[in-house]
Amino acid sequence: MTTPASVPAPATVLVFLDPAFEGGRVADAAQPQLMATDLGATRGDGVFESLLAVGGRPRKIQAHLTRLAGSARLLELDIPAEDAWRRAVDTAIGEFRRQDPATAAAGGTDEVVVKLLVTRGPEGAAAPTCWVQASAPAPAGRRQRETGIDVILLDRGYDSEVGERAPWLLLGAKTLSYAVNMAALRYAHRHGADDVIFTSADGRVLEGPTSTVLLAHLETADDGAGGVRTIRRLITPQLDSGILPGTSQGALFTAAKAAGWELGYGPLEPKDLLDADAVWLISSIRLLAPVNHIDGQEIGTPELRRQLTAELNALFATIE
């Protein structure tokens, strides 16, 4: 389908990391840039990171660079140093804002989705192919963070200890091989849901296809002065269950702890989600998406979900 001439196509900026260009080489996104034999395309052999830039500033960039390097090590990919990625990210964001100055006016928050991508390159390549992509966020992400989502639980098909037993499955790496995750989302959509929470074969809560799971419990306790106080507890699944470490979850935990929340790390079972006062799927692009229903069962109450989501969004807004 062609874009009508009166409606400009959304800008997409590509910046390839190239030693000959200090800030990266800007490429034409409308023209082919990869070899058809690139192993990232033919085998999904590569890694990536996605982050959000707000007001021209990338959020949590160090956490994403650290995770990108960790993923690359697991795949035995030798990628450029962090400084080269930072310069390419700055170039991509600046070029996107130049090409699409209406972003701030249209969206109100001047958000840019930034992806850092690495492929092994064509067969026999001396070095991986690395680039940064900048584009506008999808409207669905903002809508879901505002109105919430309905999710279903799906069995991922292996137990929670498989990551330690079979490291070649690369469960701790953010690879380009996302076919299973996308298939899970399509399955959810066909069954009237917005998203998925994966569970393990031995009944543990894992993660979403593109997100980390969070839940909250509120408890009252004696304040020692004849009154009561509310204990706020934020919980996420254990990392050793074969899930990807969430950069947004980690940053939010740091902010929540400073604000007096108690923190917990699983192990979690589906009943823990159903009994929670609130559940969210959190990611770097969509941010906090409150879960309204899981397998048709409402989580908490609408008022409490809104209240807790507003509290955590206020904390998340302080994260750089």
Side-chain angles (χ1 to χ4, degrees):
M1 186 176 79
T2 58
T3 302
S6 59
V7 181
T12 297
V13 171
L14 303 180
V15 178
F16 282 81
L17 277 69
D18 186 330
F21 296 81
E22 183 177 354
R25 173 176 57 84
V26 179
D28 186 350
Q31 298 297 320
Q33 299 295 336
L34 292 182
M35 296 283 292
T37 55
D38 191 292
L39 294 173
T42 60
R43 295 181 180 174
D45 193 354
V47 298
F48 77 104
E49 283 290 322
S50 298
L51 59 92
L52 195 66
V54 180
R57 299 184 63 183
R59 302 184 70 181
K60 302 185 282 87
I61 187 168
Q62 184 57 57
H64 286 285
L65 289 171
T66 298
R67 193 169 66 178
L68 182 72
S71 296
R73 282 194 298 272
L74 288 172
L75 270 70
E76 301 181 33
L77 289 166
D78 185 15
I79 65 173
E82 288 184 359
D83 285 349
W85 285 104
R86 287 178 181 273
R87 290 192 296 268
V89 166
D90 288 343
T91 299
I93 295 172
E95 183 65 14
F96 178 86
R97 286 160 62 84
R98 185 189 69 79
Q99 291 188 23
D100 193 4
T103 297
T109 56
D110 191 12
E111 296 180 354
V112 182
V113 174
V114 181
K115 292 187 176 182
L116 289 62
L117 300 110
V118 180
T119 77
R120 201 171 298 276
E123 190 81 49
T129 303
C130 306
W131 73 99
V132 174
Q133 174 181 309
S135 58
R142 180 170 297 161
R143 183 175 64 250
Q144 290 181 354
R145 76 174 81 144
E146 293 173 352
T147 64
I149 55 177
D150 293 337
V151 309
I152 57 175
L153 301 176
L154 292 183
D155 188 344
R156 192 176 248 175
Y158 50 73
D159 63 67
S160 60
E161 297 180 356
V162 71
E164 295 181 3
R165 192 171 65 249
W168 52 88
L169 293 178
L170 302 174
L171 298 182
K174 193 173 179 69
T175 74
L176 294 174
S177 303
Y178 257 48
V180 170
N181 291 357
M182 298 301 99
L185 288 175
R186 290 193 296 271
Y187 182 90
H189 297 162
R190 287 198 304 272
H191 289 78
D194 303 297
D195 214 316
V196 168
I197 293 177
F198 285 125
T199 59
S200 66
D202 53 343
R204 298 285 181 86
V205 173
L206 297 174
E207 60 191 344
T210 63
S211 58
T212 304
V213 178
L214 295 177
L215 64 86
H217 278 296
L218 303 186
E219 301 174 8
T220 57
D222 190 334
D223 65 0
V228 296
R229 63 188 179 94
T230 299
I231 300 173
R232 286 166 160 73
R233 182 171 292 110
L234 201 57
I235 307 171
T236 196
Q238 290 173 302
L239 290 178
D240 62 6
S241 58
I243 64 176
L244 187 73
T247 60
S248 295
Q249 170 267 313
L252 182 59
F253 264 38
T254 299
K257 183 177 181 179
W261 286 68
E262 293 187 0
L263 308 179
Y265 293 87
L268 297 174
E269 300 177 359
K271 65 180 180 61
D272 296 313
L273 299 176
L274 300 176
D275 292 341
D277 290 302
V279 174
W280 301 269
L281 293 184
I282 183 172
S283 59
S284 293
I285 306 303
R286 186 172 57 185
L287 307 180
L288 274 167
V291 176
N292 298 328
H293 300 87
I294 297 177
D295 286 345
Q297 179 173 326
E298 185 171 15
I299 306 302
T301 65
E303 182 179 354
L304 190 54
R305 286 197 303 272
R306 285 193 294 269
Q307 173 193 327
L308 293 175
T309 300
E311 285 187 36
L312 293 182
N313 274 330
L315 293 175
F316 203 71
T318 66
I319 296 168
E320 290 293 330

